[in-house]
């Protein structure tokens, strides 16, 4: 079995609607050229429909494009003129509306043009893959399958991969590595059953929630308060999720279940409630029409009152006693108290879980290969912290099972179907997740994870309850950091602080790790066991010294921060930052000083110190100034080039605390170098980072020479940037104190009050950074900003 992913040199997406356009965008994010098809426009540009969809991608928020120029990878096409281009595409994905007749008609049109080597896939969210395959000629059927992305495709980790009876045995194995590594997805192999796994279970959970909403007489906003983060689910909870998905889309998925599952014990609930139908009938389809279960009136968010069919102000009336139960850490105690409570909201929460557990157990054999696939599908597709089986098992498998059986017998559950026998007897009678794998009801055995070679790249796959998580072997450990390895000659260091903040204890641990790596290891990777990479300096740790006026102590910490960054840059062994999630302030400075960064696509990197009235003083300002000078020297070729345009761009980013919208964007902003790698699957991050460290070491690594003879723009540059700040202040774009902070940043980036062209070294910039940082820190306005940020998590514009 090859470890090389299926080669996709070019792809096509059929259908330029919301989903099709965003699938094309994510292929473009991964540098895959893609042709986006739609119907020929009746007037004007025949490819105008697809072209308009491409332009719309640049305006959407959150952006489907990792950087706006990624749209250059997408070509607009129409079915009347461009079908011949399909012959050059290795992957063709159909993503038109969920109409079986429309899809079959399209297949008949495009099939003759699809290359003999290409994989043809449908993005259907629930139609039968076998039925769709019958619209393909026999020659294409072995290469036809379902590849179901979740919306929005860039951000949702889940892709369901579905074979049909004629799919070639190795086809899914061929395409899965491409989906995992190149597109960064978590793959669940689904059976060809209505709505597959995630939508089948997730939509049932929403239907059960809606049924109990009516039964307990709760408001939609109250239900969202009870079914969001307090029970480990997405912030959008139930009814906000429906608005985001689109009420018409949700009604279609429900209708699919109603038509395709007539014998299902829960069939009576496979219909849209009256109030959902009423919203659809009046065109209130959720977020896309600006009204659904919720709407925004001015600045106020209003919620639908189902009794009056009118909107009212939202209010989260969560019962305090119920809130106390939901806050319990022990799942067994929590579920026991929910079930025993007489409070309606507690009974509601117990009921939605009871019916979810009942449903998943009853259908496991028919909808999924094993319980792990159900749990991962729901976690990745709906944003739950734990899947249904994990939740059940953590709360006490046998006791919960007994309660469900009692309530089914007492007709309290939504269906009277008995729990399957395996729940009570046999190898799964204590739970479906164990060290040897997850239970398959169809095979009546526990199954391990996939053995495809691509998963060897994941040292730490998304863990499932019951699995033993690998820890590696500790090299050294303090209260703040752990240095460890996985059995080779590359060391790894991870922070242990909250949100991986960087205080003096982390600095000491990192310095000790660099010393150890230089003595006994061939490379050092900075990788965190959890997101974020780091939100930056631990401001709370220096606040007491600031309040006491211990300025020498504070400056010592800043100097140590600079020293640590310089040690990362000039260490005798290669250093690699493995980045995912937020990497702000000092964390960004560490990344900039490492020999290489490997960043997951969803990395949000920036120098944000201006937000608390400070400037980057861990070497970040120095690095930007040096990089700007190098860019000038590289382009000069004997002629004089003004450095200020390069510096102005960096200045604006730092002064406005700009954070990248992706790792690709971070490279465009200059926080990452062109040589830094961007990967798409965060679970492969450590593997790739270690490979980079090893490759650099293999090349006979020596640290770079410290920068010297760096030309500065000096006082002329400061004056120019000051004029820019004056215009921004007088125009009301920045506050009076923002002006003060901005001017300090300008002085550092420009190299201080020197004549233009003066030559300085890194030490000059570091001292300038530290001086301006300490000057700002002594100001009352900066101290107010720091206190406000620590208390509220929000910036203060004083």
């Amino acid at each position: 079995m090859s470890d090389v992913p299926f080669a996709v040199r070019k792809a096509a997406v059929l259908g330029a609607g919301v989903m099709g356009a965003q699938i094309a965008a994510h292929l473009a994010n991964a540098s895959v050229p893609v042709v986006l098809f739609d119907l020929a426009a009746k007037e004007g540009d025949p490819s105008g429909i697809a072209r308009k969809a491409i332009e719309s991608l640049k305006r959407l928020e959150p952006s489907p494009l990792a950087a706006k120029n990624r749209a250059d990878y997408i070509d607009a096409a129409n079915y009347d003129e461009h079908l011949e281009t399909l012959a050059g595409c290795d992957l063709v994905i159909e993503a038109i509306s969920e109409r079986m007749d429309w899809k079959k008609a399209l297949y008949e049109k495009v099939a003759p043009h699809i290359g003999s080597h290409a994989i043809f896939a449908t993005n259907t969210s629930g139609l039968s893959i076998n039925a769709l395959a019958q619209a393909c000629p026999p020659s294409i059927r072995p290469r036809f399958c379902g590849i179901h992305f979740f919306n929005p495709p860039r951000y949702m980790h889940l892709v369901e991969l579905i074979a049909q009876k004629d799919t070639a045995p190795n086809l899914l194995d061929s395409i899965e590595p491409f989906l995992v590594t190149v597109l960064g997805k978590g793959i669940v192999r689904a059976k060809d059953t209505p709505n597959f796994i995630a939508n089948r279970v997730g939509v049932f959970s929403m239907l059960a929630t809606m049924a109990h909403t009516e039964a307990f007489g709760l408001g939609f906003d109250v239900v969202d308060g009870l079914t969001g983060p307090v029970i480990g689910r997405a912030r959008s909870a139930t009814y906000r999720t429906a608005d985001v998905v689109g009420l018409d889309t949700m009604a279609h998925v429900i209708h699919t279940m109603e038509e395709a599952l007539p014998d299902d014990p829960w069939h009576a609930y496979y219909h849209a409630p009256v109030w959902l139908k009423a919203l659809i009938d009046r065109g209130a389809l959720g977020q896309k029409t600006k009204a659904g279960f919720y709407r925004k009136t001015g600045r106020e968010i209003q919620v639908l009152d189902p009794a009056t069919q009118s909107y009212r102000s939202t209010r989260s009336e969560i019962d305090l006693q119920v809130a106390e139960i939901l806050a319990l850490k022990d799942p067994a105690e929590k579920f026991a108290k929910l079930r025993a409570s007489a409070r309606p909201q507690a009974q509601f929460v117990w009921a939605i879980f009871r019916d979810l557990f009942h449903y998943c157990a009853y259908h496991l054999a028919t909808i999924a290969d094993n319980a792990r696939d159900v749990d991962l599908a729901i976690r990745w597709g709906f944003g739950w912290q734990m899947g249904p089986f994990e939740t059940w098992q953590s709360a006490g498998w046998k006791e919960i099972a007994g309660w469900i059986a009692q309530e089914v017998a007492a007709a309290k559950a939504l269906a009277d179907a008995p729990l399957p026998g395996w729940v009570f007897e046999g190898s799964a009678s204590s739970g479906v997740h164990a060290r040897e794998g997850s239970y398959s009801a169809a095979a009546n055995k526990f199954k391990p994870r996939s053995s495809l070679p691509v998963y060897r790249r994941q040292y730490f796959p998304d863990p499932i309850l019951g699995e033993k998580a690998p820890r590696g072997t500790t090299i050294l450990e303090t209260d703040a950091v752990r240095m460890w390895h996985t059995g080779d000659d590359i060391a790894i260091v991870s922070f242990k602080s909250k949100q991986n903040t960087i205080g003096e204890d982390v600095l000491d641990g990192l310095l000790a790790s660099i010393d150890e790596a230089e003595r006994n290891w061939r490379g050092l990777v900075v990788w965190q066991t959890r997101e974020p990479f780091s939100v930056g300096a631990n401001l709370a740790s220096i606040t007491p010294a600031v309040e006491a006026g211990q300025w020498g102590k504070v400056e010592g910490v800043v100097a140590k921060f600079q020293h640590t960054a310089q040690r990362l840059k000039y260490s005798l062994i290669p250093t690699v930052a493995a980045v995912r999630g937020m990497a702000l302030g000092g964390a960004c400075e560490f990344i900039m000083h490492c020999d290489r960064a490997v960043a997951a696509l969803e990395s949000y990197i920036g120098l944000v110190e201006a937000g608390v009235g400070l400037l980057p003083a861990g070497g970040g300002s120095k690095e930007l100034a040096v990089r700007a000078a190098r860019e000038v020297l590289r382009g000069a070729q004997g002629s004089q080039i003004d450095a200020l345009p390069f510096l102005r761009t960096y200045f604006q980013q730092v002064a406005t605390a700009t954070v990248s919208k992706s790792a690709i964007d971070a490279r465009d902003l200059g926080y990452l170098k062109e040589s830094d790698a961007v990967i798409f699957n965060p679970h492969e991050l450590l593997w790739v980072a270690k490979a980079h460290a090893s490759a650099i070491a293999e090349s006979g690594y020596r640290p770079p020479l410290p920068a010297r003879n760096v030309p500065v723009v000096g006082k002329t540059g400061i004056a120019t940037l000051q004029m820019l700040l004056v215009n921004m202040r007088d125009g009301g774009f920045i506050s009076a104190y923002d002006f003060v902070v901005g001017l300090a940043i300008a002085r550092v980036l420009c190299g201080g009050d020197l004549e233009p062209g003066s030559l300085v070294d890194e030490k000059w910039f570091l001292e300038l950074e530290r001086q301006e940082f300490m000057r700002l820190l002594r100001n009352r306005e900066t101290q107010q900003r720091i206190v406000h940020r620590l208390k509220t998590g929000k910036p203060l514009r004083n």
Side-chain angles (χ1 to χ4, degrees), residues 63 87 100 119 128 147 195 270 296 321 349 394 418 547 579 599 607 609 636 643 646 689 705 709 715 738:
S63 178
M100 183 70 78
I119 291 176
S128 169
I147 300 179
N195 293 337
Y270 294 165
K296 190 173 184 180
Q321 289 187 24
V349 175
S394 68
E547 291 174 344
V579 187
L607 297 171
E609 289 85 351
F646 296 91
L705 190 69
N709 297 325
K715 59 180 68 176
D738 288 331

Side-chain angles (χ1 to χ4, degrees), residues 613-781:
L614 294 169
L615 54 78
S621 300
K622 174 263 298 180
E623 280 296 298
L624 292 179
V626 170
R627 289 181 187 186
R630 285 176 177 165
E631 287 165 0
V632 171
L633 292 173
R634 187 163 50 244
Q637 297 179 346
S639 59
Q640 188 68 31
I641 294 181
D642 183 11
L644 195 56
F646 296 91
L647 272 180
R648 182 187 291 116
T649 299
Y650 288 142
F651 168 74
Q652 289 175 326
Q653 290 172 196
V654 176
T656 57
T658 299
V659 176
S660 72
K661 295 183 177 180
S662 71
I664 293 173
D665 187 38
R667 196 156 53 190
D668 292 342
L669 292 172
Y671 297 135
L672 296 180
K673 301 183 288 291
E674 284 299 318
S675 58
D676 291 336
V678 175
I679 68 163
F680 276 54
N681 196 316
H683 300 297
E684 296 183 347
L685 182 63
L686 183 57
W687 190 92
V688 177
K690 288 181 59 182
H692 274 269
S694 182
I696 297 171
E698 288 288 346
S699 67
Y701 175 81
R702 292 295 300 171
L705 190 69
R708 55 192 177 189
N709 297 325
V710 179
V712 301
V713 296
K715 59 180 68 176
T716 301
I718 296 172
T720 302
L721 295 180
Q722 184 173 0
M723 289 173 57
L724 175 64
L725 288 168
V726 168
N727 291 335
M728 294 176 70
R729 181 194 60 195
D730 294 349
F733 297 103
I734 62 173
S735 71
Y737 195 63
D738 288 331
F739 176 87
V740 173
V741 175
L743 191 55
I745 294 168
R747 282 195 290 267
V748 175
L749 291 179
C750 294
D753 194 22
L754 300 177
E755 292 298 323
S758 298
L759 301 179
V760 301
D761 58 13
E762 286 191 0
K763 184 180 178 181
W764 173 269
F765 280 111
L766 290 172
E767 290 177 351
L768 199 55
E769 271 187 358
R770 199 164 62 249
Q771 291 169 9
E772 293 294 341
F773 181 93
M774 294 304 301
R775 183 179 291 124
L776 289 172
L777 189 58
R778 286 183 171 89
N779 291 344
R780 179 175 57 86
E781 292 85 352

Side-chain angles (χ1 to χ4, degrees), residues 19-183:
M19 198 64 186
Q22 293 204 38
I23 292 171
H26 196 57
L27 288 162
N29 289 336
S31 302
V32 176
V34 56
V35 185
L36 180 61
F37 279 85
D38 211 296
L39 297 170
K42 294 179 180 179
E43 297 179 359
D45 177 6
S47 298
I49 296 173
R51 207 174 307 283
K52 183 178 179 181
I54 296 168
E55 288 302 311
S56 295
L57 291 171
K58 301 174 185 178
R59 299 190 295 270
L60 288 175
E61 290 293 340
S63 178
L65 297 166
K68 287 185 178 180
N69 61 13
R70 290 280 124 175
D72 295 343
Y73 281 85
I74 310 174
D75 290 328
N78 67 80
Y79 301 122
D80 290 355
E81 298 179 315
H82 303 116
L83 287 179
E84 70 279 359
T85 63
L86 292 173
C89 296
D90 305 294
L91 175 64
V92 179
I93 300 174
E94 170 270 307
I96 68 170
S97 297
E98 293 288 84
R99 285 272 301 269
M100 183 70 78
D101 55 338
W102 291 0
K103 289 180 186 288
K104 288 184 174 181
L106 179 61
Y107 294 3
E108 291 172 2
K109 178 182 289 188
V110 302
H113 302 276
I114 294 175
S116 60
H117 67 294
I119 291 176
F120 183 31
T122 175
N123 183 60
T124 180
S125 59
L127 296 179
S128 169
I129 306 298
N130 278 285
L132 288 169
Q134 296 310 303
C136 299
S139 61
I140 285 183
R141 288 176 197 167
R143 295 177 282 122
F144 182 76
C145 65
I147 300 179
H148 179 214
F149 292 84
F150 272 65
N151 191 24
R154 171 184 164 184
Y155 300 98
M156 298 304 291
H157 191 56
L158 176 64
V159 166
E160 290 176 316
L161 200 52
I162 314 103
Q164 39 87 24
K165 64 182 180 64
D166 294 321
T167 301
N170 65 344
L171 185 81
L172 299 192
D173 288 353
S174 296
I175 193 64
E176 188 163 342
F178 169 80
L179 296 169
V180 171
T181 294
V182 180
L183 297 188

Side-chain angles (χ1 to χ4, degrees), residues 322 325-326 333-341 346-347 349-350:
V322 177
I325 295 173
L326 294 176
E333 181 185 7
K334 181 187 302 183
F335 274 87
K337 288 191 172 181
L338 285 171
R339 183 171 184 264
S341 174
Q347 286 294 298
V349 175
W350 160 249

